[in-house]
């Protein structure tokens, strides 16, 4: 089929919009060839494709997106941008994304932003022009307003809780419920002084405040009082942060009988400190994490944790992204993916 | 300066080589503009740059590379291609690459090949044309002949031992010496039945056979005999592989007093099995790994290991890559990066 080419006025300039015939004329090919390039037809030579894309860029041509499933500039690549690939949760999630993308014949490139604004803005700008067909983005530092004002049109789906609300395709677990489930489990197995490690104050919400909210909800529901002295903030979620936070709690004479950690790495760091101090896990202090990373299946003791369905997160995010690639104007969707409790030996 | 444009014959066609003036004519710009684009002058508009690159591609123009430090198509991106980012050694190495690249104003994209030939060939082909300025590549499945016959000219530096020898820029530790150091340490602390977990037979050598060689060298040097029954191959180097290999050893009645594991993850898996079976580490069985990943600083017990200088690997590889970007014709170099022994509690 030939792409639709209705003569309309560009709403911003009130001049006739650029059409497929203009592109064809500049690229010195037939309109059918332009259409073939736009639909990703592989029979068009690389040189011709390049020329057509050049003409499209020159003219600022935007194909009619009512024709679904047709893509401009199929690069065969999508990007996943995360704060740190050294965090196993992200590495495992990306592994699932790579597998699911391969089924669709897409290659995945990964970008590590370290939460730096400059790097996150590079992601929001679509990275280099035309380089990738879409982006999965787990933001950390950037404010929602920047997302909403972005000028690039590269399809984008957000992962996690940092920026939520309307206007954005978005996939995450219910972090309030996940934290409440973890805390309730600690209460059910006898915890009475339950610490929480990993709180973070951030403008505009985010994952950590939601987990603190879930922790408090579970305490409330059990009629237990909230003790701010048992809540330890950490700036990051590495093993070291968990180890230092646990040491800080013990050093100020606070001895919890259970600890809810905001990530598995934090939990593994906390367990390290507890054992260094001669405390038994779970007999003296029970420890639970969130993430269900592979490490927790082999640690001593093995780690009880909240298991987000990482396969579902990866597949759902990719589906949203491919939908968005096919139809840039559809309504944004926010999808909540299930989680479950995985009981091993640390709690 | 204007790029050199000597009229020479193309050696393959014996026709006059394409010159900068041909490119300028096709792109409808001045030769100076082409030169500015080639030298990465940012004052040229994006549209003009695109047009010049299109003309370069159309004509197959190759600028005279005797002018050093000038780059064609500086994308500001380099790629790092590794088998699995879920393997902490790679994730940590990439973290160092990202940091070092940022100092040079480069963004790093990561590609996970899973060792699949198709994915590794995509890397060898330079990924999408012009997308990245250079590639760091840790190959797994591909044969050396494919590297040597590759037609793409994207600068490439190899990491690790899989493909070594002439013709390739290459950075690695001395894997024979590293394995010998680990084994010698186990001997010095009293090991007499020393198992090795992680051997792999591969065409054309590679990391695993080199580590087995180092293990045997150390046994020889101590006058100890080599027992093939103590060497357990694994197909991968995950925790699970170490756990299963250790279980297989114990199940056939073999009880080593020390184990040299070919990666830290393998060692952590082996420790998991030993503790599940009620054996004490290091009192009953001492365990040493290679990689020095963060996890081994927090595991129970903490992990004794061989520490490759990952910062040096990352920085050296990037330096080779930027050298290669500046001068595609310089002689390939093979660089060996130091390693050291880090003693913690598992051995």
């Amino acid at each position: 089929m030939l792409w639709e080419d209705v003569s309309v006025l560009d709403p911003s300039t009130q001049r006739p919009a650029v059409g497929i015939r203009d592109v064809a004329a500049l690229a010195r090919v037939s309109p059918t060839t332009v259409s073939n390039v736009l639909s990703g037809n592989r029979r068009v030579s690389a040189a011709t494709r390049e020329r057509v894309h050049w003409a499209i860029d020159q003219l600022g041509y935007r194909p009619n997106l009512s024709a679904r499933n047709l893509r401009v500039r199929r690069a065969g690549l999508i990007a996943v941008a995360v704060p740190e690939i050294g965090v196993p949760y992200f590495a495992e999630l990306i592994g699932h994304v790579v597998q699911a993308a391969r089924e669709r014949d897409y290659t995945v490139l990964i970008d590590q932003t370290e939460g730096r604004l400059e790097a996150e803005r590079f992601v929001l700008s679509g990275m280099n022009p035309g380089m990738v067909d879409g982006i999965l983005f787990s933001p950390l530092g950037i404010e929602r307003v920047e997302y909403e004002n972005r000028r690039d049109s590269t399809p984008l789906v957000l992962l996690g809780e940092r920026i939520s609300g309307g206007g954005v395709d978005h996939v995450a677990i219910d972090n309030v419920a996940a934290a409440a489930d973890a805390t309730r489990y600690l209460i059910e197995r006898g915890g009475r002084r339950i610490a929480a490690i990993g709180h973070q104050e951030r403008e505009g919400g985010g994952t950590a405040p939601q987990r603190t909210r879930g922790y408090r909800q579970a305490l409330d529901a059990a009629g237990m009082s909230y003790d701010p002295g048992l809540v330890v903030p950490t700036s990051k979620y590495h093993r070291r942060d968990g180890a230092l936070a646990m040491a800080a709690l013990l050093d100020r004479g606070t001895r919890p009988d259970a600890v809810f950690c905001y990530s598995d790495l934090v939990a593994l760091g906390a367990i390290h400190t507890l054992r260094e101090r001669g405390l038994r896990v779970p007999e003296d202090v029970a420890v639970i994490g969130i993430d269900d990373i592979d490490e927790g299946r082999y640690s001593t003791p093995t780690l009880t944790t909240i298991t987000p369905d990482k396969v579902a997160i990866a597949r759902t995010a990719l589906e949203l992204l491919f939908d968005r690639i096919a139809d840039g104007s559809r309504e944004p969707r926010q999808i909540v993916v299930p989680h479950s409790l995985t009981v091993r030996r640390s709690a």
Side-chain angles (χ1 to χ4, degrees), chain A:
Chain A
M1 65 161 262
L2 188 64
W3 278 66
E4 304 238 355
D5 187 26
V6 189
S7 264
V8 290
L9 294 184
D10 182 302
S12 59
T13 62
Q14 293 299 315
R15 290 188 302 191
V18 170
I20 204 165
R21 281 168 189 80
D22 302 305
V23 173
L26 185 65
R28 294 188 230 149
V29 298
S30 71
T32 307
T33 299
V34 176
S35 178
N36 284 340
V37 170
L38 289 170
S39 62
N41 186 327
R42 291 279 175 178
R43 277 173 301 182
V44 183
S45 78
T48 300
R49 265 186 276 133
E50 182 85 0
R51 203 157 71 236
V52 168
H53 286 308
W54 166 71
I56 287 171
D57 288 349
Q58 289 294 302
L59 297 171
Y61 172 66
R62 289 274 163 210
N64 183 338
L65 286 172
S66 71
R68 284 189 177 236
N69 285 314
L70 296 174
R71 284 184 285 272
V72 185
R73 256 187 197 265
R74 189 193 190 280
L77 291 175
I78 59 167
V80 183
V82 299
E84 266 186 287
I85 65 159
V87 168
Y89 171 76
F90 288 122
E92 293 183 13
L93 183 63
I94 289 169
H96 297 304
V97 171
V98 169
Q99 284 197 331
R102 193 194 314 145
E103 291 165 16
R104 305 225 193 190
D105 218 16
Y106 269 84
T107 295
V108 176
L109 291 176
I110 300 126
D111 182 27
Q112 166 167 295
T113 65
E114 299 166 59
R116 290 178 307 115
L117 269 183
E118 192 193 352
E120 297 202 333
R121 285 183 182 135
F122 178 67
V123 174
L124 281 192
S125 77
M127 315 183 94
N128 284 356
M131 188 177 79
V132 296
D133 297 312
I135 301 175
L136 303 185
F137 181 26
S138 178
L140 196 63
I142 211 150
E143 295 299 324
R144 182 168 161 182
V145 59
E146 288 206 47
Y147 173 80
E148 288 174 344
N149 292 337
R150 83 190 190 106
R151 295 167 60 190
D152 182 72
S153 60
T154 307
L156 188 79
V157 173
L158 296 181
L159 301 170
E161 287 295 330
R162 179 67 188 102
I163 299 176
S164 55
V168 192
D169 282 319
H170 180 223
V171 180
I173 62 166
D174 180 340
N175 276 290
V176 178
D181 290 349
T183 310
R184 191 182 317 112
Y185 173 73
L186 294 176
I187 296 169
E188 283 166 6
R189 69 183 298 293
R192 287 302 168 261
R193 284 175 60 71
I194 301 176
I197 298 181
H199 180 66
Q200 294 175 339
E201 285 295 350
R202 277 190 191 276
E203 293 286 327
T207 303
Q210 292 192 35
R211 294 188 176 172
T212 304
R213 189 135 53 91
Y215 162 74
R216 296 189 64 165
Q217 275 183 8
L219 295 178
D220 279 354
M224 293 166 65
S225 64
Y226 168 71
D227 175 359
L230 286 168
V231 177
V232 190
T234 64
S235 62
K236 293 191 169 184
Y237 285 170
H238 295 170
R239 298 174 191 86
R240 179 182 152 83
D241 302 298
L244 292 176
M246 193 70 238
L249 258 185
L250 297 174
D251 286 345
R252 64 184 190 232
T254 308
R255 165 81 180 275
D257 54 18
V259 187
F260 162 49
C261 296
Y262 288 26
S263 90
D264 278 2
L265 284 190
V266 168
L268 291 158
I271 290 173
H272 173 78
T273 294
L274 288 166
R275 298 182 62 110
E276 294 280 314
R277 302 291 181 97
L279 293 165
R280 293 166 305 160
V281 179
E283 294 82 354
D284 298 322
V285 185
V287 178
I288 190 170
I290 294 190
D291 284 346
D292 194 10
I293 60 176
D294 189 59
E295 186 174 343
R297 284 166 215 149
Y298 294 91
S299 59
T300 303
T302 54
L303 191 63
T304 295
T305 189
I306 296 291
T307 304
D309 188 339
K310 278 172 277 201
V311 172
I313 293 172
R315 294 194 168 267
T316 308
L318 272 181
E319 264 168 46
L320 284 186
L321 189 64
F322 289 123
D323 271 11
R324 173 68 59 197
I325 290 171
D327 178 7
S329 63
R330 73 144 168 71
E331 278 299 299
R333 294 164 63 194
Q334 282 80 44
I335 295 184
V336 174
V337 166
H339 64 269
S340 56
L341 173 70
T342 299
V343 177
R344 298 199 187 94
R345 298 199 196 146
S346 69

